[in-house]
């Protein structure tokens, strides 16, 4: 563009105002990039299970529905299944209801399913033989200053014991160490209790299982194995859904909250505010240059040329801030995922995210620049130079 130098000069005529507006645009598109990564992560979670070494089987109806323990042997008999274990959510809190502990009751072979959790042989033996025994993540132990041998009271947020009390007591028999802090750091926050103790103590379980976890012999056959497992309970009162662990977590979150609606609502509010802010910036910028625009028209610039330059200035402002914001999101998202120890999975902005983002930048640029550009195009030279415009 031969007029790019004029557009650039006009854009940075008031440097502080332009920089502050750019910061707002960068922030808005940084949020867009991160929230779109969240949406993408949930969408990808429901794709093919092939490539996954572990599958999770839960109720097709709802994550709070339990499954009969009789499914254990039937799942184990499915061709391609190497190992089956199960667990029940416990939902404990320590001392204060706000001190939630990621706790659940597990089958005796649960640790065999997760080599990511490192537990000493002595602790494994103690966990297997101690009725009220519990294994806790080292991060959780540090958080509450627990040590092996301590007897810990937990208040279940869901399950009472047979006397009606929700106060349970456990003895710490060992610590859980994450084999890889970067990808499995969240194992440091776990609290595992014996499924048998849980099942015998609460009258609200009685041989039911919260979910099954299956290790497949060949990860490339995971989709076939998942379908075979679900076929076992087809047309029964306990139909199942077998998927990857990531997909199971996404499914659970979708039942708790509408992720798409939340993301859309947040971005709607952010972009509405952005339109007001950048629109006000462009209105002020054009109003301050009334006499300069009149001079441009005097020396031969047509009204349409002035219109195009003002729109280009507005679009350039949005594109500069938007590209920086999306670029930061592409860097920050994976960095946050790596720092979360595998708890979060925020992929870098992909081609679709960039295409959508650039489209929004141009659209918003045209919207916020339309009115001041039309005013500039219609500007009367005589009135502007006389100070009446």
């Amino acid at each position: 563009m031969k007029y790019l130098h004029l557009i650039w000069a006009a854009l940075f005529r008031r440097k502080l105002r332009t920089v502050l507006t750019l910061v707002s645009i960068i922030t808005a598109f940084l949020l867009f990039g991160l929230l779109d990564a969240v949406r993408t992560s949930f969408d990808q979670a429901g794709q093919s299970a092939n490539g996954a070494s572990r599958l999770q089987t839960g109720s097709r109806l709802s994550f709070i529905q339990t499954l009969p323990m009789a499914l254990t042997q039937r799942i184990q008999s499915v061709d391609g299944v190497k190992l089956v274990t199960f667990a029940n959510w416990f939902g404990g809190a320590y001392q204060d209801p706000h001190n939630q502990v990621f706790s659940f009751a597990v089958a005796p072979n649960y640790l065999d399913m997760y080599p990511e959790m490192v537990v000493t042989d002595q602790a494994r033996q103690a966990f297997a033989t101690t009725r009220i025994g519990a294994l806790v993540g080292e991060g959780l132990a540090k958080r509450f200053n627990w040590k092996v041998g301590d007897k810990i009271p937990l208040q279940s947020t869901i399950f009472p014991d047979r006397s009606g009390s929700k106060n349970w007591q456990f003895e710490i028999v060992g610590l859980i160490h994450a084999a890889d802090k970067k990808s499995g750091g969240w194992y440091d926050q776990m609290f595992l209790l014996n499924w048998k103790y849980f099942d015998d103590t609460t009258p609200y379980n009685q041989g039911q299982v919260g979910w099954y976890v299956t290790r497949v012999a060949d990860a490339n056959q995971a989709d076939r194995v998942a379908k075979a497992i679900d076929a076992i309970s087809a047309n029964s009162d306990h139909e199942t859904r077998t998927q990857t662990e990531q997909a199971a977590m996404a499914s659970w979150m979708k039942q708790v909250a509408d992720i798409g609606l939340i993301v859309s609502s947040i971005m709607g509010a952010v972009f509405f505010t952005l339109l007001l802010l950048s629109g006000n910036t462009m209105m002020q910028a054009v109003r301050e240059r009334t006499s300069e625009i009149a001079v441009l028209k005097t020396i031969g610039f047509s009204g349409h040329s002035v219109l195009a330059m003002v729109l280009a200035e507005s679009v350039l402002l949005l594109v500069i801030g938007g590209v920086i914001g999306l670029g930061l999101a592409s860097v920050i998202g994976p960095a946050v995922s790596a720092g979360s120890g595998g708890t979060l999975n925020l992929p870098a902005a992909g081609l679709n995210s960039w295409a959508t983002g650039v489209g929004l930048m141009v659209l918003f640029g045209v919207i916020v620049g339309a009115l001041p550009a039309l005013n500039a195009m219609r500007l009367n030279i005589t009135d502007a130079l006389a100070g009446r415009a």
Side-chain angles (χ1 to χ4, degrees):
M1 291 178 60
K2 62 180 179 179
Y3 300 131
L4 181 60
H5 62 289
L6 292 176
I7 297 169
W8 188 266
L11 181 61
F12 286 94
R13 187 171 185 269
R14 299 283 185 181
K15 292 183 176 61
L16 179 60
R17 180 176 63 200
T18 300
V19 169
L20 292 177
T21 304
L22 280 173
V23 169
S24 300
I25 297 171
I26 290 170
T27 302
F29 279 93
L30 171 61
L31 284 173
F32 165 77
L34 294 177
L35 289 173
D36 193 60
V38 172
R39 179 193 60 78
T40 301
S41 178
F42 275 85
D43 289 344
Q44 289 178 345
Q47 296 175 0
S48 172
N50 281 342
S53 60
R54 284 193 300 255
L55 299 175
Q56 186 166 314
T57 302
S59 171
R60 179 176 292 275
L61 179 62
S62 170
F63 70 92
I64 64 172
Q65 296 293 321
T66 55
L67 299 171
M69 192 178 177
L71 285 175
T72 306
Q73 294 301 322
R74 300 186 66 185
I75 293 175
Q76 183 67 68
S77 65
V78 171
D79 180 37
V81 171
K82 187 175 182 180
L83 179 66
V84 178
T85 189
F86 53 84
N88 288 66
W89 179 252
F90 180 72
Y94 179 63
Q95 293 183 335
D96 187 292
H98 295 95
N99 291 331
Q100 292 292 320
V101 176
F102 189 62
S103 52
F104 46 95
V106 300
N109 66 340
Y110 190 83
L111 292 173
D112 297 331
M113 184 69 70
Y114 291 90
E116 302 95 324
M117 291 189 288
V118 178
V119 179
T120 65
D121 292 339
Q122 182 181 0
R124 281 178 176 248
Q125 181 63 28
F127 183 61
T129 57
T130 306
R131 178 174 168 79
I132 63 171
L135 295 172
V136 302
E138 60 178 341
L140 188 63
K142 289 179 181 179
R143 176 185 172 190
F144 294 120
N145 295 316
W146 294 342
K147 61 182 183 298
V148 175
D150 286 350
K151 291 190 175 180
I152 303 301
L154 283 189
Q155 183 179 53
S156 176
T157 56
I158 305 173
F159 299 101
D161 60 20
R162 294 191 179 279
S163 67
S165 172
K166 289 188 176 181
N167 295 316
W168 296 61
Q169 189 175 59
F170 303 97
E171 180 182 346
I172 298 177
V173 296
L175 299 181
I176 301 170
H177 305 276
D180 185 351
K181 300 289 185 182
K182 293 183 179 180
S183 62
W186 68 291
Y187 292 118
D188 282 354
Q189 301 300 320
M190 283 188 169
F191 189 105
L192 305 183
L193 55 133
N194 279 306
W195 180 85
K196 180 64 174 173
Y197 171 55
F198 167 79
D199 189 54
D200 289 344
T201 304
T202 180
Y204 294 96
N205 197 61
Q206 299 180 342
Q208 298 294 302
V209 171
W211 65 91
Y212 288 94
V213 183
T214 304
R215 180 176 295 280
V216 296
D218 182 358
N220 294 321
Q221 297 295 317
D223 261 341
R224 180 190 60 77
V225 173
K227 292 176 182 178
I229 292 174
D230 291 338
I232 295 173
S233 301
N235 301 317
S236 70
D237 61 353
H238 54 269
E239 290 192 56
T240 62
R241 174 180 294 156
T242 302
Q243 50 198 336
T244 66
E245 291 174 308
Q246 183 185 6
M249 178 62 72
S251 178
W252 177 79
M253 288 297 296
K254 288 177 181 178
Q255 291 187 53
V256 173
D258 189 335
I259 303 300
L261 178 61
I262 293 174
V263 169
S264 299
S265 299
I266 295 174
M267 290 315 308
V270 169
F271 283 145
F272 177 73
T273 305
L274 176 63
L275 286 173
L276 294 179
L277 178 63
S278 55
N280 181 64
T281 297
M282 286 303 303
M283 290 291 291
Q284 288 184 358
V286 173
R287 191 181 302 117
E288 290 173 355
R289 302 200 308 270
T290 300
S291 58
E292 297 173 14
I293 293 172
V295 171
L296 288 175
K297 288 190 170 184
T298 302
I299 62 177
F301 281 81
S302 66
H304 288 92
S305 296
V306 172
L307 172 74
M309 284 194 292
V310 174
L311 282 177
E313 178 185 343
S314 176
V315 171
L316 182 61
L317 176 67
L318 268 295
V319 168
I320 291 174
V323 168
I324 295 174
L326 267 181
L328 288 174
S330 296
V331 174
I332 293 175
V336 171
S337 297
S340 70
T343 304
L344 297 175
N345 179 29
L346 300 180
L351 182 60
N352 289 338
S353 297
W354 274 100
T356 302
V358 172
L360 289 173
M361 296 171 207
V362 175
L363 175 62
F364 292 161
V366 171
I367 291 174
V368 302
L371 183 57
L374 287 172
N375 290 337
M377 182 183 71
R378 296 167 181 168
L379 184 67
N380 184 281
I381 298 175
T382 304
D383 290 342
L385 294 177
R388 294 192 297 268

